[in-house]
Amino acid sequence: MDSAKAQDRSLVNTSLSPYARLKSLNMGDVQWTTGFWAERFKVCKESMVPHMMQNYMNPEISHAYRNFEIAAGIEKGDHAGPAFSDGDFYKMLEGMIMVWSTSRDIKTEREIDTIIETIAKSQRSDGYIHTPVVIKQLQKNSEKKEFGERLDFETYNFGHLMTTACLYYRLTGKKNLLNVAIKATDFLYNFYSRASAELAQNAICPSHYMGVIEMYRTTRDPRYLELAKNLIEIRSLVENGTDDNQDRIPFDEQTEAMGHAVRANYLYAGIADVYAETGNDSLMISLDKIWHNMTENKMYITGACGALYDGVSPDGTSYSPNYIQKVHQAYGRDFQLPNLTAHNESCANIGNILWNWRMFLATGEARFIDVMELTMYNSLLAGVSLDGTGYFYTNPLCVVHDIPFTLRWSREREGYIKFCNCCPPNTIRTIAELSNYVYTTSAKGLWINLYGSNQLRTKLSDGSEIILNQQTDYPWNGKISIILEECPDQIFSVFLRIPGWAESGKILINGKILNIPVRPGTYSEISQKWKKGDIIELILPMEARLIEANPLVEEVHNHVAVKRGPVVYCIESADIPANSLIFDYVVPANTHFKPKTINISDSKMCALEGNVKQIPEESWKGQLYRPVTNKNETFTLRLIPYYAWGNRSKGDMSVWLPVSK
Ligand SMILES: [Zn+2]
């Protein structure tokens, strides 16, 4: 383990990955200073983490930690809650560790280490660690066997343990949690060296591909890489696999995003990690085809994934009812993107970030950061209230409360999602970790991927130190200033990402326009000798734009969404007269929406205002169809960022609005 380079303390450590083009920076190298992400991180640290950790420590609300205590022999009782709650607790611990690492206070560190001690005691001597089974076995219930039930989610739990353990070790050098994860990974290695393909099928929601590879990166134990490769290979041997679990056909024959969207995106992220270590082209060829299918045919305008609550796989091979496969929380058919019933689990949207980050590290292509940025500003942030106390499981693009059917998941955010609290800790750890995605390095220099005020202090690949200050009011303002405070003497490149949404862009060095190509959806490389005090400015246009969808998306024919920079907007009941519906407003195609600064829940943001047509509608009660009326009045409509919806009164919301051309 000590052979790994001591300075490699990054979130996803590709520093020795032979097929990764880029390297992430060490955790802690980037600190948010002011502005958008500094505010979200502060809410994460001061509200999300303490509130949710309090829930996890209260067995009346969450039994997840109590399960560890029972399995450790500290408390008495039965397992309660879902089988995957171990994994969700590890994600919570990961979020707690990440925010703790910015202050490193002793009291919290002791709390973390006490939790780890309990987790370690819940592990069997052979390395197996999974409270639903360990507790039953402690009670001498020999019926309960490891990996016996598909919905036991063991490998999901193992995977999150590995990820959290690697991060804690990299941040502190402490091996208390890492040793637990090493024993667990050894157990999996031994288990899978003799496991059947059917057991691979039981490994649903595969967070462990990412986990096992990160364990390999931490320990350099070649058996772990072998395990990760084996885990993918045995998927191909599964008989009677399902589209829902992405194992009906071998992975390298897959070309479309299919099935349960969290499982799918976690699988794709894990396989991208395996590619970074092995360079197995057939994996990257499939990943790239699936990525194109997802972003061109199946992803929402908010970056959200997984259109369907439940459905039938569109990828079945026969019309025979015996072969029609059910899917749930899943990708649908190409262009099947309903709004009111969109599922879009927060974890699937986070999976989209995890996957695209790994694709980016492997390739250095800006298109992957475009998808990450879109998902961060829209579907990720919509998953949590602005004050950090409530969470969504699903993220629809239209919500109408007065509908004659019940959707399974709440359309109001909840403090703890009793049936399935997988999304809240996932959202918390992701927001806590976003600063790790802002920059990367390659042999040529520094890559600036995302924009938000921060201070960077890091080393380039040759070991030379660079300190810079990024100042911006992005995403509300398109001007970004980067001030070099310390840099090496020799020539190196600064790569600036020009977002794919931008129509143009300007780069200035010390106030002078730089004459190099600025192409949206690529990185502009500036290679020169730099000096302390140099200022790089990037100016991006921040006009509100009306966006239409491919006409094959039936649900939004003749509709537009409004987007400004990476931020998608929506109409919400709180901004229209009480006697009107969100459907009563039609946007003329020439509407010019202007920015207006507002506050919702103590958070400053940029709303948009523009003149639209309001059509006074009679009640639709008892009517499915009727003739069109042609009356309309002009109304100044306010739109708010989609991520901020649901933070005022309980109201209706829609991203898509009818357009008149
Ligand atoms: Zn979830």
Side-chain angles (χ1 to χ4, degrees), residues 46-59:
E46 293 176 2
S47 174
M48 296 181 207
V49 169
H51 277 111
M52 191 54 71
M53 205 58 191
Q54 220 168 27
N55 288 335
Y56 272 109
M57 288 297 159
N58 180 352

Side-chain angles (χ1 to χ4, degrees), residues 388-635:
T389 59
Y391 298 85
F392 277 133
Y393 188 80
T394 61
N395 295 277
L397 278 73
C398 177
V399 169
V400 178
H401 287 280
D402 186 17
I403 50 171
F405 55 90
T406 306
L407 287 162
R408 195 174 305 131
W409 300 97
S410 173
R411 281 152 330 135
E412 287 172 83
R413 295 186 183 89
E414 298 172 276
Y416 186 89
I417 305 172
K418 197 77 192 164
F419 179 63
C420 187
N421 201 56
C422 54
C423 300
N426 215 1
T427 304
I428 292 169
R429 68 163 181 151
T430 305
I431 292 173
E433 287 162 1
L434 289 179
S435 61
N436 292 284
Y437 301 135
V438 179
Y439 303 93
T440 38
T441 57
S442 68
K444 290 179 87 175
L446 181 74
W447 296 56
I448 306 181
N449 310 315
L450 294 166
Y451 301 113
S453 290
N454 69 77
Q455 176 84 18
L456 166 74
R457 178 187 286 265
T458 196
K459 288 196 167 73
L460 295 176
S461 61
D462 63 0
S464 55
E465 187 168 56
I466 181 164
I467 303 174
L468 62 79
N469 196 291
Q470 186 183 144
Q471 295 175 359
T472 178
D473 197 21
Y474 191 90
W476 311 131
N477 187 309
K479 183 179 172 195
I480 299 125
S481 302
I482 293 147
I483 301 126
L484 289 175
E485 294 179 349
E486 215 55 69
C487 64
D489 286 338
Q490 69 275 24
I491 291 174
F492 67 93
S493 293
V494 171
F495 295 82
L496 280 178
R497 173 177 154 262
I498 312 301
W501 56 259
E503 280 174 323
S504 59
K506 250 188 326 199
I507 299 171
L508 293 84
I509 307 287
N510 298 328
K512 287 204 187 91
I513 291 194
L514 193 66
N515 189 19
I516 62 163
V518 178
R519 282 193 299 270
T522 67
Y523 279 80
S524 289
E525 180 182 355
I526 314 164
S527 180
Q528 63 173 59
K529 200 162 158 51
W530 302 89
K531 61 179 188 311
K532 183 177 176 170
D534 280 347
I535 300 176
I536 307 166
E537 284 172 290
L538 173 63
I539 316 279
L540 297 169
M542 277 290 174
E543 295 299 316
R545 290 197 288 174
L546 307 188
I547 309 289
E548 61 183 352
N550 185 308
L552 289 174
V553 184
E554 286 185 61
E555 288 82 355
V556 293
H557 270 169
N558 298 318
H559 278 57
V560 286
V562 182
K563 216 176 151 204
R564 185 172 179 271
V567 179
V568 175
Y569 282 77
C570 69
I571 182 173
E572 196 180 22
S573 299
D575 297 309
I576 57 173
N579 61 353
S580 75
L581 299 176
I582 54 167
F583 301 123
D584 296 351
Y585 299 87
V586 176
V587 179
N590 60 359
T591 304
H592 184 57
F593 281 99
K594 292 195 185 107
K596 184 177 171 69
T597 301
I598 62 164
N599 262 281
I600 298 179
S601 196
D602 290 331
S603 180
K604 188 188 82 151
M605 63 191 71
C606 180
L608 294 174
E609 287 184 350
N611 289 337
V612 303
K613 290 185 216 169
Q614 183 187 0
I615 301 169
E617 291 280 13
E618 303 292 319
S619 165
W620 275 94
K621 199 166 173 54
Q623 296 186 87
L624 187 54
Y625 306 105
R626 72 183 180 200
V628 170
T629 55
N630 202 16
K631 288 184 290 187
N632 67 68
E633 293 158 11
T634 299
F635 179 80

Side-chain angles (χ1 to χ4, degrees), residues 246-285:
Q246 299 86 29
D247 58 7
R248 182 174 57 82
I249 48 178
F251 182 77
D252 56 11
E253 292 172 23
Q254 293 182 25
T255 57
E256 297 191 5
M258 66 169 82
H260 194 288
V262 183
R263 299 177 195 178
N265 290 355
Y266 275 32
L267 172 69
Y268 307 149
I271 289 182
D273 270 335
V274 174
Y275 170 80
E277 301 306 324
T278 63
N280 180 342
D281 285 334
S282 70
L283 299 180
M284 186 46 93
I285 289 166

